[in-house]
Structure formats: structure tokens, C-alpha cells
Amino acid sequence: MPTRFDAFAVTAPGLAPLVANELVALGLVPRDISDAGVGFDASLDELLRANLWSRMSSRVLVRLASFEARDFATLEKQAMRIPWSRVLQRGMTVRLRVTCRKSKLYHSDAVAERVARGIERSVAGVTIQLGAKDDEEGADGAASASVSASASTSESASEAASAASVTSVTSSALPAQLIVVRFEHDQCTISADSSGELLHRRGWRQAIAKAPLRETLAAAMLVASEWDQTVPLVDPFCGSGTIGIEAALAIRNIAPGLDRPFALERWPGTDAALVRSARDAARAQAKPSTGVQILLSDRDAGACDAAVANAERAGVLGDVIIAQQSLSDADLAALGPRGLVLTNPPYGLRVTDGNDLRSLYARLGDVLRDGGTGWRLAMLVPDKQLAAQLRMKMDTKLRTANGGLGVSVEMTRAVGARGAPHENQT
């Protein structure tokens, strides 16, 4: 195994600066920040640390090679030179995801075929999976293209398309290893995924309500809202409880990846004792309780049941209060003079079945005003016209995407600030 890795933390749009700060807090040094994520150098131990502790990254890639290729012969030659045995071993299934932009080699299936051949000639007994996709597509702009390693060679687009129509092969005993191939202006970058499943899949969210929020986005909302973990946190539209559960995990310092495996654990040369030691150290850092009120509510009984089940699996059921109630029943003042409402309110036909949400948003504004001037609101906003029904001045804290839809995290202004949170906009 190499002593250092050229790593890249993939992020959702707008989250890269937050992830860079997160890496610094983990003792890692960001090398560069882009719209797609954050680059950094890491040892195997640090690579494991990033996967284990990052709350906002989508996945962590490791660059294996970068070179210019304007023809398939060069691509295949370079692919054969890559030290595949660092990340692959006999019995593995390999998933290839290929993106080609502004390059002479623009047929992703044909590119995948050449890379697959380089893998097959370097590591015996691997299976190249066909047509594999995951839900990261659209989040980082990566498309999927996979071919059988035994597919015939062809420079033509028609034969490349034929190769892509081959039936998928059966997965082998070991889980699949994702290899990401990107062409940009004839520059090819080939990376191995060190994470495995996307990092938002912590393992505890198995019960899902309508329009679920990714755990990584919930964690980003917590950071963007600047919640200091000393005042009550309320989510009156909790759904399956993602925001509140992520809040409890963060304040208790429970590593988000503690109970899930990572792809790097299957790499040849990875020391199992190192992985066990890292997880044991993470468990030792967890706090026994939050010491602050986290109240989750939803008018839908099924959503509350899902939130209870998820909180129990996450090990934080005792740290959150989950109640079935309507927004009108919320009483913020009873929780104290100060607090934060952090929520992802309903929006769109998928959730509302065409109902007019303006009155719901107006009522949310009333609930916050009734709580007193010490309460602030931060929320995910896809529609500024809906947010205007709150009749409150709000600042944009974060711009990102949720389910392919552009959204922002908006927050009411602190009391005493110009345009205070309870100032009527009209």
C-alpha cells in the first residue's frame, strides 16, 4: 500500500467549504476546494478517519492516475499501467462510472471497455459489472457506464453501444469496488472509491417518510444555522427524524460512519487491526447524552413512527422527544426563552398533493413570533415566494440542491440586527 493517498471528498453543491472546515477539525489539511469537493493528502489512517467522521461528504475518492489521452490506444496503454492491485483483489466485482466532457474520447461505454481491459490484465479473477448505477448521479455530475471485460474491442460508436447492451453479470462474493473515470478536455482521471456506499447512508435510517432528507444535508443545515448546541432545537415537520437525529449524533460526538463498512477495508494491504482501533477510539469519544432538548414533531403518525424507529437504531432515542402534533400545537415559549427551529417544511406536489401551502408557512411565522424574540428559524427553502409568507427578514446561509432541486438554507436575523427576525416585511 502507498504511504500517502491523493484523496478527494466529493460533496453536494455548495457544501465544499463546510467539508473543508470539517476536514481541518479532523486534523487533515485541505489542498484545494472546488464546486465538486475538497482535495487533500492522507495516509491510510487519515483516509479512514475522513470516512468515519465526515458528516457532510458524499464519498471519498482516491486518485490512481491522471494522464492525457486523445485516442483509445493511449487510454488502454495507460490503464494497464495503473497499480490496480492496490485497491482490487481476486473475487471482487468492479463497477465503472465514466464521464466524458469536451474530449476526443466521448463514448463513455467505449472508454469503460478499455479501462476494464486494463483491469482484467492486471488483476486476475475480478468481474467487471455492467450498467451499475447509484444515487450519486446528479449530485456530483458523474454518469455510469460499465462493460464486461470480455467485450470485444472496437473504436466505433456502434460497437461501443453493442458492448453496453451485454447482460449484467452476477456479483461475486466480495462487494463491488467503484472505479470513477473522468474525461475533461482530453485529461483522464481515474479514481477508486474508498467509501463504498454513499456516506449519507449511516445505517440507521431504514424507515422513511415522504420526501426524505439526506443525512449529509441535514448535517450541513446544522452547521449553516450555527446552532451552538446549548439551546433547544425544534423540527415541527420532522418526517423520519433526520435533522433531529443528526443533531443528537453531532452533539454526542458519535461518528456517523461508526456502524457501517467502507470499501477501503477490502483493499489488499489494509490492516484490519488499524480499522478496529479507529472504531474503538471513535466509540470512546462518544458522550453519554446531549444535555439539551431536541423536539421532533409531525402531524403524520406514520412519520413519527419512522422517526422513533430511526432514532432507536441510531442509539439516540433517549436524546430526542418525538411527538405527533400539528404545527398549531407547537409552543416554543414553553421550551425556554431562546431556541432554534430547524426544519425542512413541505413543498411541491410530491408532498402536498397540490394543496396551497401559503397558510402553512404563514402559521410557521406566527409560531415563531409567539415563541419570543429569542427564537430563530432556519429552514430549507426551494421557493422564495412561499418563504415570504413567513413575513420575516431572512438571510441565505447556504445554497445547495435536494433531490435535484436547487434549494437554500435561509435563517431569520438575530435580534438587534438590521432587519430583526420579527420585523414585518410589509
Side-chain angles (χ1 to χ4, degrees), residues 265-298:
E265 296 180 56
R266 305 188 298 271
W267 290 357
T270 296
D271 186 355
L274 174 69
V275 177
R276 285 195 300 270
S277 177
R279 284 202 166 92
D280 289 343
R283 288 189 181 92
Q285 295 180 51
K287 299 176 182 178
S289 63
T290 61
V292 67
Q293 295 182 87
I294 300 175
L295 177 62
L296 312 180
S297 62
D298 201 289

Side-chain angles (χ1 to χ4, degrees), residues 139-164:
D140 68 346
S144 242
S146 307
V147 298
S148 168
S150 60
S152 60
T153 304
S154 171
E155 301 285 340
S156 70
S158 61
E159 291 188 2
S162 177

Side-chain angles (χ1 to χ4, degrees), residues 301-366:
C304 292
D305 290 342
V308 168
N310 288 335
E312 186 172 21
R313 272 187 293 269
V316 297
L317 184 57
D319 300 299
V320 297
I321 299 171
I322 301 174
Q324 181 188 358
Q325 65 179 30
S326 67
L327 176 63
S328 296
D329 293 329
D331 185 0
L332 301 182
L335 299 175
R338 296 173 59 244
L340 173 67
V341 175
L342 183 64
T343 190
N344 176 29
Y347 56 83
L349 297 178
R350 179 168 58 133
V351 173
T352 64
D353 298 324
N355 294 330
D356 189 346
L357 290 173
R358 289 175 295 181
S359 60
L360 181 67
Y361 277 67
R363 180 58 186 145
L364 178 58
D366 292 338

Side-chain angles (χ1 to χ4, degrees), residues 28-327:
L28 305 174
V29 181
R31 187 182 60 246
D32 53 79
I33 304 173
S34 68
D35 292 339
V38 184
F40 63 102
D41 295 318
S43 64
L44 180 61
D45 177 63
E46 291 169 333
L47 192 63
L48 176 59
R49 190 188 312 162
N51 277 287
L52 189 61
W53 284 99
S54 179
R55 299 184 188 277
M56 294 177 284
S57 300
S58 298
R59 66 166 81 250
V60 181
L61 301 177
V62 167
R63 180 179 296 181
L64 300 177
S66 182
F67 51 85
E68 184 179 72
R70 296 173 178 269
D71 55 74
F72 286 114
T74 300
L75 172 61
E76 186 170 342
K77 183 178 179 180
Q78 292 289 346
M80 291 175 61
R81 292 177 175 175
I82 293 174
W84 295 108
S85 59
R86 292 179 177 176
V87 298
L88 302 178
Q89 59 177 302
R90 178 182 290 274
M92 274 188 173
T93 294
V94 180
R95 296 188 299 126
L96 289 174
R97 297 178 60 224
V98 180
T99 302
C100 301
R101 295 191 183 95
K102 300 179 181 179
S103 300
K104 289 186 179 297
L105 302 183
Y106 58 88
H107 294 297
S108 58
D109 296 325
V111 168
E113 181 183 344
R114 302 320 192 278
V115 175
R117 186 175 303 150
I119 294 173
E120 187 184 42
R121 292 179 180 178
S122 300
V123 182
V126 297
T127 298
I128 312 296
Q129 197 178 61
L130 172 65
K133 294 185 178 182
D134 64 28
D135 63 1
E136 189 181 358
E137 284 193 71
D140 68 346
S144 242
S146 307
V147 298
S148 168
S150 60
S152 60
T153 304
S154 171
E155 301 285 340
S156 70
S158 61
E159 291 188 2
S162 177
S165 66
V166 179
T167 305
S168 299
V169 295
T170 303
S171 297
S172 55
L174 292 176
Q177 170 65 56
L178 174 65
I179 300 295
V180 178
V181 182
R182 299 179 188 275
F183 262 100
E184 186 85 25
H185 296 286
D186 299 321
Q187 188 71 21
C188 179
T189 302
I190 299 181
S191 304
D193 168 44
S194 71
S195 301
E197 285 194 295
L198 289 164
L199 291 177
H200 79 270
R201 294 173 179 166
R202 324 289 205 209
W204 52 261
R205 193 179 70 169
Q206 298 176 22
I208 299 175
K210 280 186 177 182
L213 184 72
R214 280 192 177 186
E215 295 87 330
T216 45
L217 181 51
M221 290 177 65
L222 284 161
V223 173
S225 69
E226 301 175 356
W227 181 50
D228 65 5
Q229 302 182 350
T230 66
V231 299
L233 180 76
V234 176
D235 182 359
F237 306 105
C238 73
S240 54
T242 305
I243 291 176
I245 293 172
E246 281 295 312
L249 291 171
I251 198 171
R252 287 188 56 191
N253 200 36
I254 298 175
L258 188 60
D259 295 319
R260 52 154 289 167
F262 304 111
L264 62 83
E265 296 180 56
R266 305 188 298 271
W267 290 357
T270 296
D271 186 355
L274 174 69
V275 177
R276 285 195 300 270
S277 177
R279 284 202 166 92
D280 289 343
R283 288 189 181 92
Q285 295 180 51
K287 299 176 182 178
S289 63
T290 61
V292 67
Q293 295 182 87
I294 300 175
L295 177 62
L296 312 180
S297 62
D298 201 289
R299 69 177 184 178
D300 183 77
C304 292
D305 290 342
V308 168
N310 288 335
E312 186 172 21
R313 272 187 293 269
V316 297
L317 184 57
D319 300 299
V320 297
I321 299 171
I322 301 174
Q324 181 188 358
Q325 65 179 30
S326 67
L327 176 63

